[in-house]
Amino acid sequence: MSSAHYQALEPQTSDEDNEDIERPHHHIHQNHPHPMVRKGGVARRRCILPVVGGALFFIAFCYLTLSGDTRIALGLGGGSEDSEEGSHHGLDSINFRPLNESLHVCSENYEDRRQFMQDKPRSEYGQLPIIYFVTPTYPRREQIPELTRLAHTLLHVPRLHWLVADDQEKCNDFMDTLLNRFGIPFTHMVSPMPSKFRNEKPAPRGVANRRAALQWLRQHNLTNGILYFGDDDNTYDLRLFSEIRKTQRVSMFPVGLIADYGISGPVVRKGKVVAFLDSWVAGRRWPVDMAGFAVNLEYMAQYPYVNMPYKPGYEEDLFLRSIGLQMSLIEPRGNNCTEILVWHTQTKSKKLGLVRLESKYLDDRSNLGALLLNLKLMGVASTTENEGRNALISKNGKEKPHSAILS
């Protein structure tokens, strides 16, 4: 009920209580109240004092016997600053009130119907064409997490060979260990961007990697399988792999989160691709995203001069021209290009993290030595003794000197 429905009550007094209130008298002794009236008031106060004292003692006893967490939950505070219970000290008690949120459950299903690659004998997948999944990548602090995320999608896909082409001069042992750990058939190669393109704006990122993968396919004379270019920062629906595995020549499908429209993909009429929807045409015959098509290797083998020139923004168009693509050859996938099976998600890249921490604390006295070494191998963070702000080490919400924790 709203507080507007309540009125403040005025103090009420009975005639008996009024005996304790001195009233002026109109006779000559008005400054001397009747002695019996004063005596009765004092007696009543003396009777009340033990009751009040007992109540205060009971409250104090309950407070001291309650746990710190219980006192905090009741908004009473408690716990020392250095104790675990004291870690919430000072937080408003509203943060610990019982939950009372409204919610609406739309649907639920408690049956686990997930299908993994292991749900069938490996021999049952033997007749499927192999998908050659080409992933260009480059060193940055997000590289390993993004490859890990992508790998846990590819773990569900049978008959797939992962071609990971890294834009650097030398092979990365950590990358080899990582790819081996996943258990996915893979080829790890390095193919650095030519130095003359590195200072261009925009630079043709990923072209050297994809060209290296195309060269690897040609060297192995592979004509049975499906080629797909899959960046490491995209998001893939598992249905995509079933769709592209059926590609006879070139299949196409929409890609979500592309440029101004939020979508790029074919326009389909009566089951045939007739045009394209893309917010940046720029004279491209095939204005599609790199993740929006797949190619049958048998078809591609008919064109000995397959190429992907170093021309930023035109890589897809010029590659598709090099394999003689015609509109009539395109196979629309994704329920006639009405479904999104791949998203052009992107991770905002940041500079390498710096942890300022004295090297003497990176020994086996704590986990930090091994942890920060792994982060350095991944290209995520590096330790320094004289750059940036000191690494924050805290306990119970308070910053502590490194020596206090790590010594």
Side-chain angles (χ1 to χ4, degrees):
M1 182 180 292
S2 169
S3 59
H5 290 81
Y6 292 91
Q7 282 188 337
L9 298 178
E10 297 294 334
Q12 301 294 315
T13 58
S14 66
D15 292 338
E16 188 178 48
D17 292 331
N18 290 342
E19 293 178 0
D20 291 329
I21 302 176
E22 296 184 2
R23 292 191 181 91
H25 295 279
H26 296 289
H27 51 76
I28 191 168
H29 301 294
Q30 62 179 359
N31 292 328
H32 302 282
H34 195 281
M36 292 303 294
V37 174
R38 296 187 62 180
K39 184 178 180 181
V42 172
R44 278 190 293 275
R45 283 195 292 272
R46 286 174 178 173
C47 293
I48 293 172
L49 286 175
V51 176
V52 174
L56 291 174
F57 175 80
F58 178 75
I59 293 172
F61 175 79
C62 292
Y63 178 84
L64 293 173
T65 55
L66 289 173
S67 69
D69 288 339
T70 305
R71 293 199 298 271
I72 291 169
L74 294 174
L76 301 176
S80 67
E81 290 185 358
D82 291 330
S83 68
E84 290 296 327
E85 294 178 352
S87 61
H88 300 298
H89 183 67
L91 290 179
D92 194 307
S93 60
I94 193 171
N95 294 318
F96 297 96
R97 291 178 182 174
L99 294 174
N100 187 25
E101 309 302 316
S102 61
L103 61 88
H104 175 73
V105 177
C106 298
S107 62
E108 287 183 317
N109 182 5
Y110 293 94
E111 180 186 1
D112 191 340
R113 296 181 291 108
R114 293 175 293 174
Q115 291 186 354
F116 301 97
M117 184 173 175
Q118 292 82 1
D119 68 342
K120 298 177 182 177
R122 186 167 301 184
S123 59
E124 292 192 21
Y125 295 113
Q127 301 305 313
L128 292 176
I130 297 177
I131 294 175
Y132 291 92
F133 193 95
V134 176
T135 299
T137 187
Y138 65 99
R140 62 200 187 281
R141 79 174 194 170
E142 297 81 15
Q143 182 182 36
I144 298 302
E146 290 190 326
L147 287 172
T148 300
R149 179 178 56 192
L150 175 55
H152 282 81
T153 296
L154 302 183
L155 279 170
H156 299 276
V157 184
R159 296 279 285 170
L160 178 140
H161 190 93
W162 195 8
L163 295 169
V164 181
D166 202 359
D167 182 2
Q168 57 181 326
E169 297 286 344
K170 297 180 180 179
C171 292
N172 184 334
D173 292 339
F174 186 91
M175 182 83 73
D176 286 332
T177 302
L178 180 75
L179 295 174
N180 268 299
R181 186 191 310 154
F182 295 134
I184 302 169
F186 75 94
T187 297
H188 174 209
M189 62 186 77
V190 292
S191 180
M193 180 191 303
S195 57
K196 65 180 180 179
F197 295 120
R198 289 197 177 274
N199 294 325
E200 290 188 0
K201 300 294 182 183
R205 190 178 297 280
V207 176
N209 316 56
R210 299 184 188 100
R211 288 166 62 99
L214 292 172
Q215 183 174 335
W216 184 90
L217 292 170
R218 181 58 57 91
Q219 287 177 347
H220 288 77
N221 197 29
L222 293 170
T223 59
N224 182 20
I226 308 299
L227 167 64
Y228 182 74
F229 297 109
D231 289 354
D232 55 6
D233 58 350
N234 285 349
T235 301
Y236 304 93
D237 189 313
L238 287 176
R239 294 176 296 166
L240 171 71
F241 301 94
S242 298
E243 289 280 287
I244 65 176
R245 210 184 293 273
K246 297 179 287 188
T247 302
Q248 299 298 309
R249 294 184 179 89
V250 177
S251 60
M252 288 189 178
F253 29 88
V255 180
L257 299 180
I258 298 292
D260 295 339
Y261 295 163
I263 185 68
S264 172
V267 176
V268 179
R269 296 190 65 186
K270 298 180 180 180
K272 300 289 184 180
V273 174
V274 296
F276 298 91
L277 175 67
D278 192 284
S279 61
W280 187 70
V281 178
R284 294 181 297 163
R285 182 183 302 174
W286 310 113
V288 295
D289 184 76
M290 191 69 70
F293 62 89
V295 180
N296 187 298
L297 292 182
E298 184 178 8
Y299 168 77
M300 192 173 76
Q302 302 175 35
Y303 299 88
Y305 302 109
V306 174
N307 203 344
M308 186 177 289
Y310 289 96
K311 188 174 182 181
Y314 292 83
E315 296 94 333
E316 301 93 339
D317 181 42
L318 296 177
F319 168 76
L320 292 172
R321 291 190 190 200
S322 76
I323 60 174
L325 184 62
Q326 301 295 324
M327 192 81 79
S328 60
L329 301 179
I330 301 174
E331 307 154 34
R333 300 293 180 192
N335 195 16
N336 265 336
C337 295
T338 60
E339 298 177 347
I340 307 296
L341 300 180
V342 56
W343 301 84
H344 188 63
T345 47
Q346 294 175 299
T347 301
K348 187 175 181 180
S349 184
K350 293 186 178 181
K351 293 181 179 179
L352 182 74
L354 287 177
V355 182
R356 184 173 180 179
L357 189 64
E358 296 173 69
S359 58
K360 66 181 181 180
Y361 293 122
L362 299 178
D363 55 18
D364 57 3
R365 284 176 290 183
S366 76
N367 66 310
L368 293 185
L371 173 63
L372 293 171
L373 175 60
N374 278 331
L375 289 173
K376 183 177 181 179
L377 292 173
M378 295 179 191
V380 174
S382 182
T383 57
T384 174
E385 293 204 17
N386 49 29
E387 293 184 48
R389 59 186 299 196
N390 284 326
L392 296 180
I393 295 182
S394 65
K395 185 176 182 180
N396 293 332
K398 290 189 173 182
E399 296 179 23
K400 302 284 186 179
H402 298 155
S403 58
I405 304 295
L406 301 178
S407 294

